[in-house]
């Protein structure tokens, strides 16, 4: 199969589905480096050329893995990375640094790990509560002028923060969690993005693996990032089995896999809200990349979309342990 391209923002054409490269860092358990590199190559081979990483994923491990692939394939990839989160993220010891004077240094460190001289999309990973978003975006805009950044993005910003940032410099994309069980962004963030012509990049579109139907809590390692999320507690998982059951029922009706169904739902919602949507599912396995990409060929019926629309209200557990770290807690 060959994945089609789409326009995420003016001047930023990407594959219609991206690849979330947090999975090639050991955040969901041990990673085989050779397999991670092979998976990245496979994604590009089939046309998944929009690759999303960040400086904090595995303390730079994700960027270094992506950089290994870019050594021979930079011209084939639309590259996105992020800055702003600091500290040991996996251990829950994290902070936010959006100070303008630090932005250039964060970018140069990422460029070094990636082995490139510029990125196509540079996100502020979280808005710093102690720094006006206008100031941080102004500093990124200087890097656009310098030729090190092509487009600017925000992650987990509120609708108001998106509007304020866009007034300083055009924002190409906003990234937030969005899926059948995480829909809070539909209240304010997505309408703002649609109004401004900003593309939307949903992360964790398959619920950190849970909505694929392959998640096994019995093999969840002590260092697995999912241990920090309320939806993965024993009590929540028992309740969320109902959510997964509906996804599996719809998948049976659609003759598709659960992952394909929830990814196709996002494509349908993008059409409903009238904005470009490019999800970035992550996986360590090439076969899963192909499975996810096949969702682009799946058109759900109105009834199937409606059944999936009901799942957010059935979901047990918040999408973040601390809501102030996501747009939901600052609306």
């Amino acid at each position: 199969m060959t994945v089609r391209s789409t326009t995420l923002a003016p001047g930023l054409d990407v594959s219609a589905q991206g690849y979330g490269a947090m999975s090639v860092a050991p955040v969901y358990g041990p990673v085989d480096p050779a397999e991670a590199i092979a998976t990245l190559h496979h994604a590009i081979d089939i046309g998944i050329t929009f690759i999303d990483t960040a400086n904090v994923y595995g303390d730079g491990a994700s960027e270094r893995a992506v950089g290994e692939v870019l050594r021979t394939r930079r011209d084939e990839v639309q590259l996105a990375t992020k800055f702003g989160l600091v500290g040991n993220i996996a251990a829950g010891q994290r902070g936010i640094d959006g100070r303008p004077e630090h932005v250039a240094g964060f970018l140069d460190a990422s460029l070094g790990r990636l082995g490139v001289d510029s990125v196509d999309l540079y996100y502020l990973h979280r808005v710093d509560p102690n720094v006006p978003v206008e100031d941080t975006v102004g500093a990124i805009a200087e890097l656009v002028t310098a030729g090190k950044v092509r487009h600017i993005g925000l992650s987990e910003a509120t609708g108001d923060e998106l509007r304020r940032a866009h007034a300083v410099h055009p924002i190409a994309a906003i990234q937030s969690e969005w899926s059948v069980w995480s829909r809070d962004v539909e209240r304010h963030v997505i309408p703002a993005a649609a109004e401004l012509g900003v593309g939307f990049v949903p992360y964790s579109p398959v619920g950190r693996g849970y909505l694929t139907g392959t998640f096994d809590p019995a093999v969840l390692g002590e260092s697995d990032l999912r241990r920090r999320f309320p939806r993965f507690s024993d009590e929540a998982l028992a309740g969320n089995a109902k959510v997964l059951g509906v996804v599996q029922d719809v998948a049976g009706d659609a003759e598709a896999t659960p992952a394909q169904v929830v990814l196709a739902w996002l494509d349908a919602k993008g059409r409903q809200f009238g904005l470009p949507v490019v999800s970035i599912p992550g996986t360590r396995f090439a076969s899963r990349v192909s499975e996810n990409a096949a969702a682009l060929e799946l058109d759900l019926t109105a009834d199937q979309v409606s059944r999936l629309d009901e799942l957010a209200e059935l979901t047990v557990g918040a999408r973040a342990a601390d809501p102030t770290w996501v747009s939901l807690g600052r609306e």
Side-chain angles (χ1 to χ4, degrees):
M1 68 177 299
T2 300
V3 174
R4 67 180 183 272
S5 64
T6 191
T7 299
L8 185 60
L12 183 57
D13 293 332
V14 302
S15 52
Q17 186 181 106
Y19 177 83
M22 187 167 75
S23 295
V24 300
V27 295
Y28 293 136
V31 173
D32 179 339
E35 186 170 41
I37 297 299
T39 297
L40 283 163
H41 276 297
H42 176 73
I44 300 170
D45 288 343
I46 68 170
I48 301 287
T49 56
F50 181 41
I51 296 180
D52 179 283
T53 183
N55 60 353
V56 296
Y57 295 163
D59 194 23
S62 175
E63 286 186 329
R64 286 189 288 270
V66 171
E68 180 66 26
V69 173
L70 295 178
R71 288 173 56 191
T72 57
R73 310 193 74 167
R74 176 65 182 100
D75 291 344
E76 300 175 69
V77 168
Q78 301 86 48
L79 174 63
T81 193
K82 314 178 197 70
F83 78 98
L85 288 180
V86 294
N88 188 332
I89 308 304
Q93 301 167 346
R94 60 181 183 175
I96 304 175
D97 186 353
R99 288 174 287 181
E101 62 269 25
H102 291 175
V103 176
F106 284 134
L107 177 62
D108 285 342
S110 286
L111 294 177
R113 286 185 291 267
L114 291 160
V116 300
D117 56 12
S118 65
V119 295
D120 299 295
L121 180 60
Y122 199 41
Y123 287 100
L124 173 60
H125 211 156
R126 294 292 188 275
V127 175
D128 190 330
N130 299 312
V131 178
V133 68
E134 294 91 341
D135 293 352
T136 309
V137 169
I140 310 173
E142 294 178 5
L143 300 173
V144 174
T145 301
K148 293 184 175 183
V149 171
R150 287 188 59 217
H151 299 274
I152 299 176
L154 300 178
S155 179
E156 287 291 0
T158 66
D160 176 66
E161 289 164 344
L162 175 57
R163 289 187 177 90
R164 288 163 50 200
H166 195 74
V168 174
H169 186 280
I171 302 299
I174 183 161
Q175 179 177 136
S176 290
E177 184 173 355
W178 188 21
S179 68
V180 296
W181 74 350
S182 295
R183 299 185 59 189
D184 55 274
V185 292
E186 294 178 20
R187 290 200 293 270
H188 302 294
V189 182
I190 288 172
E195 170 194 326
L196 298 170
V198 175
F200 201 96
V201 178
Y203 73 79
S204 296
V206 296
R208 303 183 190 278
Y210 181 77
L211 298 172
T212 66
T214 63
F215 173 74
D216 182 0
V219 298
L220 200 66
E222 288 299 322
S223 62
D224 194 299
L225 188 66
R226 285 169 289 198
R227 287 192 175 277
R228 295 182 47 240
F229 291 93
R231 289 177 183 170
F232 288 88
S233 69
D234 291 343
E235 179 182 359
L237 287 174
N240 287 329
K242 297 178 182 178
V243 173
L244 180 58
V246 174
V247 172
Q248 291 172 322
D249 287 345
V250 173
D253 292 345
E255 298 183 343
T257 68
Q260 290 165 350
V261 162
V262 296
L263 290 168
W265 177 88
L266 278 168
D267 292 337
K269 301 310 280 189
R271 292 189 292 271
Q272 176 184 324
F273 284 100
L275 79 168
V277 172
V278 179
S279 62
I280 49 169
T283 177
R284 287 171 282 176
F285 308 110
S287 61
R288 295 291 185 194
V289 172
S290 295
E291 175 188 343
N292 293 339
L296 294 169
E297 307 303 319
L298 176 62
D299 289 323
L300 299 175
T301 66
D303 177 68
Q304 289 165 345
V305 171
S306 178
R307 290 163 66 189
L308 295 169
D309 281 347
E310 299 174 358
L311 297 184
E313 294 186 2
L314 298 178
T315 300
V316 179
R319 72 178 177 95
D322 182 350
T324 64
W325 279 82
V326 295
S327 57
L328 169 64
R330 304 192 310 281
E331 288 181 348

